[in-house]
Amino acid sequence: MSAPNQTRDKQVLRETVQVAITPNIMPATIDHTARRVFESFSDRFKRKLNGRQERALKLALGGHVIHKSDRIFSVRSENGNHAYLVNLDQSSSTCPDSRKGHVCKHRIAAYLIEQANEANKSVSQGDGRPPPSDGEDENIAKARLVLNARSETLREAIIYATIKHKDEPLNVEVISIEGGTAVVRALPLIRNGNTLVPQFPFEGDRAITQVLAKSLMDIQIYR
Ligand SMILES: [Zn+2]
Protein backbone atom coordinates (compact mmCIF):
# COMPACT_ATOMS: atom_id res chain seq x y z
CA MET A 1 0.00 0.00 0.00
CA SER A 2 1.30 3.42 -0.82
CA ALA A 3 0.85 6.71 0.93
CA PRO A 4 -1.25 8.34 -1.84
CA ASN A 5 -3.73 5.44 -1.62
CA GLN A 6 -4.06 5.94 2.09
CA THR A 7 -4.79 9.60 1.56
CA ARG A 8 -7.43 8.89 -1.06
CA ASP A 9 -9.11 6.28 1.15
CA LYS A 10 -9.34 8.78 3.95
CA GLN A 11 -10.93 11.37 1.67
CA VAL A 12 -13.58 8.85 0.64
CA LEU A 13 -14.34 8.16 4.30
CA ARG A 14 -14.55 11.85 5.11
CA GLU A 15 -17.06 12.41 2.36
CA THR A 16 -19.34 9.66 3.53
CA VAL A 17 -19.29 10.22 7.30
CA GLN A 18 -20.85 13.25 8.94
CA VAL A 19 -18.89 14.97 11.66
CA ALA A 20 -21.24 15.97 14.45
CA ILE A 21 -19.01 17.23 17.21
CA THR A 22 -20.13 20.65 18.44
CA PRO A 23 -17.28 23.14 18.32
CA ASN A 24 -18.11 24.74 21.65
CA ILE A 25 -18.80 22.04 24.21
CA MET A 26 -17.83 18.48 23.43
CA PRO A 27 -20.66 15.97 24.07
CA ALA A 28 -18.08 14.01 26.02
CA THR A 29 -17.57 17.01 28.29
CA ILE A 30 -21.33 17.22 28.92
CA ASP A 31 -21.45 13.50 29.60
CA HIS A 32 -18.47 13.69 31.91
CA THR A 33 -19.98 16.66 33.75
CA ALA A 34 -23.31 14.84 34.10
CA ARG A 35 -21.61 11.86 35.71
CA ARG A 36 -19.92 14.15 38.24
CA VAL A 37 -23.12 16.12 38.95
CA PHE A 38 -25.37 13.05 39.26
CA GLU A 39 -22.91 11.38 41.60
CA SER A 40 -23.23 14.36 43.92
CA PHE A 41 -27.03 13.84 44.21
CA SER A 42 -28.27 12.06 47.32
CA ASP A 43 -30.26 8.85 46.93
CA ARG A 44 -33.29 10.63 48.31
CA PHE A 45 -32.99 13.40 45.72
CA LYS A 46 -32.50 10.88 42.93
CA ARG A 47 -35.69 9.08 43.97
CA LYS A 48 -37.49 12.42 43.85
CA LEU A 49 -36.12 13.15 40.38
CA ASN A 50 -37.55 9.86 39.16
CA GLY A 51 -35.34 9.69 36.04
CA ARG A 52 -35.55 13.39 35.16
CA GLN A 53 -31.75 13.65 35.29
CA GLU A 54 -31.33 11.14 32.46
CA ARG A 55 -33.90 13.00 30.34
CA ALA A 56 -32.06 16.22 31.17
CA LEU A 57 -28.81 14.73 29.93
CA LYS A 58 -30.56 13.82 26.68
CA LEU A 59 -31.75 17.41 26.29
CA ALA A 60 -28.27 18.75 27.02
CA LEU A 61 -26.60 16.36 24.57
CA GLY A 62 -29.28 17.03 21.96
CA GLY A 63 -28.51 20.74 21.77
CA HIS A 64 -31.79 21.76 23.44
CA VAL A 65 -30.17 24.25 25.80
CA ILE A 66 -29.35 27.80 24.71
CA HIS A 67 -27.53 30.18 27.00
CA LYS A 68 -29.30 33.57 27.12
CA SER A 69 -27.50 35.63 29.75
CA ASP A 70 -25.89 35.17 33.14
CA ARG A 71 -27.67 32.13 34.55
CA ILE A 72 -30.70 32.30 32.27
CA PHE A 73 -31.23 29.59 29.65
CA SER A 74 -33.83 28.74 27.06
CA VAL A 75 -34.51 25.01 26.95
CA ARG A 76 -36.45 23.40 24.11
CA SER A 77 -38.83 20.61 25.08
CA GLU A 78 -38.08 17.03 24.06
CA ASN A 79 -40.45 17.21 21.05
CA GLY A 80 -39.16 20.68 20.16
CA ASN A 81 -42.63 22.27 20.34
CA HIS A 82 -42.00 24.45 23.39
CA ALA A 83 -39.19 26.51 24.78
CA TYR A 84 -39.02 27.12 28.51
CA LEU A 85 -37.07 29.81 30.30
CA VAL A 86 -34.83 28.57 33.10
CA ASN A 87 -33.34 30.90 35.68
CA LEU A 88 -30.80 28.96 37.73
CA ASP A 89 -30.42 31.77 40.30
CA GLN A 90 -34.14 31.66 41.02
CA SER A 91 -34.34 27.86 40.65
CA SER A 92 -37.19 28.41 38.24
CA SER A 93 -38.48 27.06 34.94
CA THR A 94 -41.61 28.16 33.09
CA CYS A 95 -42.69 24.56 32.33
CA PRO A 96 -45.78 22.80 33.79
CA ASP A 97 -43.63 20.27 35.68
CA SER A 98 -41.87 23.07 37.54
CA ARG A 99 -45.18 24.76 38.36
CA LYS A 100 -46.20 21.56 40.11
CA GLY A 101 -43.16 22.01 42.34
CA HIS A 102 -40.82 19.46 40.76
CA VAL A 103 -37.16 19.96 39.95
CA CYS A 104 -37.73 19.67 36.20
CA LYS A 105 -35.44 18.26 33.56
CA HIS A 106 -35.03 21.70 31.96
CA ARG A 107 -33.40 23.10 35.07
CA ILE A 108 -31.09 20.13 35.32
CA ALA A 109 -30.25 20.35 31.58
CA ALA A 110 -29.41 24.05 31.91
CA TYR A 111 -27.28 23.32 34.95
CA LEU A 112 -25.40 20.57 33.09
CA ILE A 113 -24.62 22.96 30.22
CA GLU A 114 -23.50 25.66 32.63
CA GLN A 115 -21.21 23.26 34.46
CA ALA A 116 -19.88 21.72 31.23
CA ASN A 117 -19.11 25.24 30.01
CA GLU A 118 -17.16 25.92 33.19
CA ALA A 119 -15.24 22.66 32.81
CA ASN A 120 -14.54 23.58 29.19
CA LYS A 121 -13.20 27.00 30.15
CA SER A 122 -10.96 25.71 32.88
CA VAL A 123 -9.39 23.19 30.53
CA SER A 124 -8.79 25.60 27.66
CA GLN A 125 -7.60 28.47 29.83
CA GLY A 126 -5.38 26.30 31.95
CA ASP A 127 -6.46 27.73 35.30
CA GLY A 128 -4.20 25.44 37.22
CA ARG A 129 -6.29 22.32 36.92
CA PRO A 130 -4.32 19.52 35.30
CA PRO A 131 -5.35 18.51 31.77
CA PRO A 132 -6.76 14.95 31.38
CA SER A 133 -3.28 13.62 30.91
CA ASP A 134 -0.04 15.49 31.30
CA GLY A 135 0.86 17.50 28.22
CA GLU A 136 -1.44 15.40 26.09
CA ASP A 137 -2.51 16.53 22.65
CA GLU A 138 -6.02 18.01 22.82
CA ASN A 139 -7.41 15.60 20.23
CA ILE A 140 -6.07 12.58 22.06
CA ALA A 141 -7.66 13.92 25.24
CA LYS A 142 -10.99 14.28 23.40
CA ALA A 143 -10.73 10.78 21.96
CA ARG A 144 -9.99 9.43 25.42
CA LEU A 145 -13.03 11.23 26.87
CA VAL A 146 -15.31 9.87 24.16
CA LEU A 147 -14.02 6.30 24.49
CA ASN A 148 -14.45 6.33 28.25
CA ALA A 149 -17.78 8.15 28.22
CA ARG A 150 -20.68 6.98 30.29
CA SER A 151 -23.47 7.04 27.74
CA GLU A 152 -23.77 4.28 25.16
CA THR A 153 -24.34 6.70 22.29
CA LEU A 154 -21.04 8.41 22.96
CA ARG A 155 -19.15 5.16 23.27
CA GLU A 156 -20.47 4.30 19.83
CA ALA A 157 -18.46 7.15 18.35
CA ILE A 158 -16.03 6.08 15.65
CA ILE A 159 -12.51 7.41 15.97
CA TYR A 160 -10.03 7.28 13.12
CA ALA A 161 -6.41 8.24 13.29
CA THR A 162 -3.19 7.80 11.40
CA ILE A 163 -0.12 6.06 12.77
CA LYS A 164 3.30 5.58 11.33
CA HIS A 165 3.83 1.94 10.45
CA LYS A 166 7.07 0.83 8.82
CA ASP A 167 7.70 4.45 7.90
CA GLU A 168 4.38 4.70 6.04
CA PRO A 169 1.21 6.42 7.25
CA LEU A 170 -1.45 3.86 8.10
CA ASN A 171 -5.10 4.66 8.79
CA VAL A 172 -6.53 2.99 11.88
CA GLU A 173 -9.63 2.91 14.01
CA VAL A 174 -8.96 3.70 17.66
CA ILE A 175 -10.65 1.04 19.79
CA SER A 176 -9.55 2.12 23.23
CA ILE A 177 -7.19 4.44 25.03
CA GLU A 178 -6.07 3.50 28.50
CA GLY A 179 -3.19 5.13 30.22
CA GLY A 180 -0.68 6.03 27.55
CA THR A 181 -1.64 3.09 25.34
CA ALA A 182 -4.10 2.99 22.47
CA VAL A 183 -5.48 -0.17 20.87
CA VAL A 184 -5.98 0.35 17.14
CA ARG A 185 -7.31 -1.67 14.23
CA ALA A 186 -5.99 -1.18 10.70
CA LEU A 187 -8.76 0.24 8.51
CA PRO A 188 -9.68 -1.74 5.43
CA LEU A 189 -8.46 -0.47 2.10
CA ILE A 190 -10.97 0.62 -0.50
CA ARG A 191 -10.41 -1.07 -3.85
CA ASN A 192 -12.12 -0.19 -7.11
CA GLY A 193 -13.94 2.62 -5.38
CA ASN A 194 -16.29 0.51 -3.28
CA THR A 195 -14.80 -2.83 -2.24
CA LEU A 196 -13.47 -2.98 1.30
CA VAL A 197 -10.39 -5.16 1.72
CA PRO A 198 -9.29 -5.88 5.29
CA GLN A 199 -5.60 -5.57 6.00
CA PHE A 200 -3.42 -7.30 8.58
CA PRO A 201 -0.23 -5.26 8.63
CA PHE A 202 0.90 -5.91 12.19
CA GLU A 203 3.20 -8.46 13.76
CA GLY A 204 1.80 -12.00 13.30
CA ASP A 205 -0.58 -10.93 10.48
CA ARG A 206 -2.83 -9.13 12.91
CA ALA A 207 -5.26 -6.29 12.20
CA ILE A 208 -5.06 -5.01 15.78
CA THR A 209 -2.10 -3.70 17.70
CA GLN A 210 -1.15 -1.45 20.60
CA VAL A 211 0.57 1.86 20.06
CA LEU A 212 1.48 4.79 22.24
CA ALA A 213 -1.53 7.12 22.51
CA LYS A 214 0.71 10.08 21.77
CA SER A 215 1.73 8.55 18.45
CA LEU A 216 -1.83 8.94 17.09
CA MET A 217 -1.96 11.60 14.39
CA ASP A 218 -4.77 13.34 12.55
CA ILE A 219 -7.48 12.12 14.94
CA GLN A 220 -11.05 12.29 13.58
CA ILE A 221 -14.05 11.70 15.82
CA TYR A 222 -17.31 10.71 14.11
CA ARG A 223 -20.60 10.23 15.86
ZN1 LIG B 1 -38.87 22.91 33.30
Side-chain angles (χ1 to χ4, degrees):
M1 83 224 66
S2 65
N5 249 339
Q6 289 279 332
T7 309
R8 203 209 58 205
D9 292 344
K10 180 165 272 184
Q11 276 164 358
V12 171
L13 287 166
R14 275 190 192 154
E15 277 162 20
T16 52
V17 191
Q18 289 287 319
V19 182
I21 296 286
T22 46
N24 299 327
I25 315 177
M26 284 278 297
T29 306
I30 298 172
D31 191 78
H32 198 76
T33 301
R35 176 166 35 178
R36 186 169 50 77
V37 168
F38 296 166
E39 268 169 14
S40 74
F41 291 170
S42 69
D43 287 343
R44 189 160 160 257
F45 186 52
K46 274 187 236 175
R47 273 197 301 277
K48 239 171 97 179
L49 288 178
N50 194 20
R52 286 181 182 84
Q53 70 273 40
E54 293 301 331
R55 297 200 289 280
L57 175 56
K58 244 173 100 178
L59 289 175
L61 286 171
H64 286 245
V65 182
I66 296 165
H67 184 218
K68 292 295 209 185
S69 64
D70 297 324
R71 303 195 73 200
I72 297 172
F73 297 80
S74 167
V75 182
R76 252 187 317 123
S77 61
E78 233 159 313
N79 61 18
N81 290 343
H82 301 277
Y84 302 113
L85 217 55
V86 170
N87 186 327
L88 290 177
D89 274 337
Q90 294 173 3
S91 302
S92 69
S93 164
T94 55
C95 74
D97 196 35
S98 192
R99 248 176 275 141
K100 281 183 226 156
H102 297 295
V103 176
C104 68
K105 60 189 173 190
H106 313 107
R107 270 174 62 191
I108 301 170
Y111 183 70
L112 291 180
I113 291 296
E114 179 187 66
Q115 292 302 305
N117 234 331
E118 290 298 314
N120 222 20
K121 265 191 245 160
S122 59
V123 170
S124 51
Q125 291 171 0
D127 65 353
R129 291 191 359 173
S133 178
D134 218 2
E136 188 167 67
D137 177 273
E138 191 188 347
N139 286 323
I140 296 174
K142 279 181 188 171
R144 181 194 298 279
L145 265 177
V146 169
L147 285 166
N148 298 320
R150 176 168 155 278
S151 81
E152 300 247 333
T153 29
L154 273 178
R155 278 202 302 265
E156 280 168 17
I158 295 168
I159 301 175
Y160 292 156
T162 305
I163 60 169
K164 221 169 194 154
H165 180 66
K166 294 181 177 160
D167 285 334
E168 294 275 352
L170 176 71
N171 294 331
V172 295
E173 176 174 4
V174 182
I175 299 167
S176 71
I177 301 179
E178 266 168 51
T181 308
V183 175
V184 300
R185 177 191 286 123
L187 283 177
L189 295 171
I190 299 171
R191 292 264 160 80
N192 305 324
N194 59 5
T195 309
L196 290 177
V197 183
Q199 50 174 340
F200 305 89
F202 305 121
E203 197 66 30
D205 289 332
R206 285 167 185 271
I208 292 178
T209 192
Q210 287 193 349
V211 297
L212 289 176
K214 65 181 180 195
S215 71
L216 299 173
M217 302 175 289
D218 197 15
I219 295 172
Q220 309 284 327
I221 303 173
Y222 303 102
R223 52 179 298 282

